[in-house]
């Protein structure tokens, strides 16, 4: 074998051998890391990814998903808006109404409460944070049951307060004109625990020098809060807004507990429609289509929120 052939053979081995060595080196250096992550990835794949993909496939099918199905394409997405005399459209309107009011109210309340307890003594701040966070660790079903007793038209606490002012009792959960606002009010009056904790942590991380400089320039508490606090916690605000928006779009437990039989179309929300179509009428294709319509709505709203609220502020 000539020297040229020997050189070519050596070059060929140098081309292919490093790839094999790189893979072995990668497994040796990072294999255990992926081994520890593998159980979580398997759980995510089995219990989240596979059901989502299966639901997407079902949204294009019609019939009994166990025995026989028929591929209908986008027909389920069109039927989602026409089934039940178009009640899904009313459910979207109710969900948007509920989401806009509750998200705005929760953000405002969380900001105010966080600002009020921010300058307090360490032990006082800890007490209020623990008290405000209590609803977050309480089951949403339990909270809904409590509100059901508060709204009771015969012996509810809210009607008792009205009786002190000689106001006739109201049917909070049975009057079509009141029930949607009653559900919304129950969410607003429940302390936004997550928002209070996150906003308080964000406000506490702002350097005090900014406030001292603004105070020397004559800025009052409101001006300092408006021009320093709010801009510097914008990234936290974005996270909390997205978090509460997703939760509001997915409201179900509270509605199911407060008005289990519903009050006409005034208590129809997107998730209640999905539940009724899937588990009461067994129209899995339509229910899956409505679920992905909800996903697209949440994704669109989230993109808009990121567009207007994202911030690159560093301090």
């Amino acid at each position: 074998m000539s020297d040229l052939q020997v050189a070519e053979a050596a070059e060929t081995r140098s081309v292919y051998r490093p790839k094999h060595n790189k893979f072995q080196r990668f497994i040796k250096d990072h294999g255990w890391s992926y081994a520890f992550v593998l159980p979580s990835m398997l759980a995510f794949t089995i219990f989240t990814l596979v059901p989502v993909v299966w639901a997407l496939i079902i949204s294009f099918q019609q019939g009994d998903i166990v025995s026989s199905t028929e591929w209908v394409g986008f027909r389920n997405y069109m039927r989602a808006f026409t089934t039940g005399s178009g009640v899904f459209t009313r459910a979207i309107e109710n969900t948007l109404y509920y989401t806009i009011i509750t998200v705005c109210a929760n953000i405002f309340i969380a900001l105010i409460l966080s600002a009020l307890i921010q300058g307090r003594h360490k032990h006082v701040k800890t007490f209020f944070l623990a008290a405000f966070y209590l609803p977050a660790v309480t089951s949403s079903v339990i909270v809904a049951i409590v509100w059901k007793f508060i709204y009771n038209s015969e012996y509810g606490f809210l009607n008792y307060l009205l009786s002190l002012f000689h106001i006739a009792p109201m049917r909070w959960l049975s009057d079509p004109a009141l029930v949607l606002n009653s559900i919304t009010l129950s969410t607003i009056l429940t302390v936004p625990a997550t928002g209070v904790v996150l906003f308080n942590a964000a406000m506490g991380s702002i350097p005090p020098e900014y406030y001292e400089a603004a105070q020397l320039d004559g800025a009052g508490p409101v001006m300092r809060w408006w021009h320093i606090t709010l801009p510097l916690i914008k990234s936290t605000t974005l996270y909390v807004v997205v978090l509460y928006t997703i939760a509001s779009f997915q409201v179900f437990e509270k509605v199911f507990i407060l008005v289990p039989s519903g009050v006409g179309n005034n208590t129809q929300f997107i998730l209640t429609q999905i539940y009724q179509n899937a588990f009461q009428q067994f129209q899995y294709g339509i229910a899956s289509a409505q679920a992905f319509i909800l996903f697209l709505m949440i994704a669109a709203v989230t993109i808009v929120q990121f567009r207007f609220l994202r911030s690159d502020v560093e301090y």
Side-chain angles (χ1 to χ4, degrees), residues 5 26 31 95 101 108 121 127 137-138 147 166 169 177 182 189-190 201 213 217 222 262:
Q5 291 175 333
F26 179 83
T95 303
I101 293 180
F108 178 76
H121 188 269
F127 169 77
V137 299
T138 306
W147 275 105
H166 305 287
S182 298
L189 295 181
T190 302
D217 290 337
V222 176

Side-chain angles (χ1 to χ4, degrees), residues 103-104 106-112 114 194-203 205-206 225-226 228-246 301-302 304-306 308-311 313 315:
V103 171
C104 293
N106 283 334
I107 296 300
F108 178 76
I109 294 173
L111 284 172
I112 297 300
S114 300
T194 303
V196 172
V197 174
L198 292 178
F199 280 137
N200 184 77
M203 292 177 184
S205 64
I206 298 176
W225 184 75
W226 182 261
I228 298 177
T229 303
L230 290 184
L232 293 183
I233 64 171
K234 201 172 181 181
S235 58
T236 304
T237 304
L238 171 61
Y239 176 76
V240 176
V241 168
V242 171
L243 197 68
Y244 281 135
T245 300
I246 295 174
V301 172
T302 302
V304 173
Q305 291 172 341
F306 269 91
F308 288 98
L309 293 177
R310 65 181 180 182
S311 175
V313 174
Y315 52 89

Side-chain angles (χ1 to χ4, degrees), residues 17-149:
R17 186 176 298 172
K19 293 183 179 179
H20 183 67
N21 291 340
K22 281 184 178 180
F23 178 75
Q24 288 182 335
R25 193 182 312 115
F26 179 83
I27 294 298
K28 182 179 179 180
D29 294 340
H30 306 287
W32 279 110
S33 302
Y34 283 93
F36 284 116
V37 174
L38 184 61
S40 298
M41 294 301 297
L42 287 176
F44 171 79
T45 302
I46 295 173
F47 297 106
T48 302
L49 184 60
V50 172
V52 169
V53 174
W54 189 24
L56 179 61
I57 296 173
I58 293 174
S59 68
F60 296 103
Q61 295 178 342
Q62 181 181 1
D64 188 352
I65 62 175
V66 177
S67 58
S68 62
T69 58
E70 176 188 359
W71 190 269
V72 296
F74 287 94
R75 192 184 306 169
N76 284 330
Y77 288 86
M78 294 183 289
R79 292 180 60 196
F81 292 94
T82 59
T83 184
S85 300
V87 66
F88 186 62
T89 304
R90 181 60 184 275
I92 293 176
E93 294 175 358
N94 293 340
T95 303
L96 290 175
Y97 175 85
Y98 173 87
T99 299
I100 293 173
I101 293 180
T102 56
V103 171
C104 293
N106 283 334
I107 296 300
F108 178 76
I109 294 173
L111 284 172
I112 297 300
L113 292 178
S114 300
L116 290 176
I117 67 176
Q118 180 59 41
R120 306 283 79 82
H121 188 269
K122 178 181 178 181
H123 298 296
V124 176
K125 185 190 300 185
T126 302
F127 169 77
F128 279 107
L129 287 177
F132 288 149
Y133 199 72
L134 184 61
V137 299
T138 306
S139 171
S140 58
V141 175
I142 301 300
V143 175
I145 292 175
V146 172
W147 275 105
K148 190 170 185 178
F149 281 106

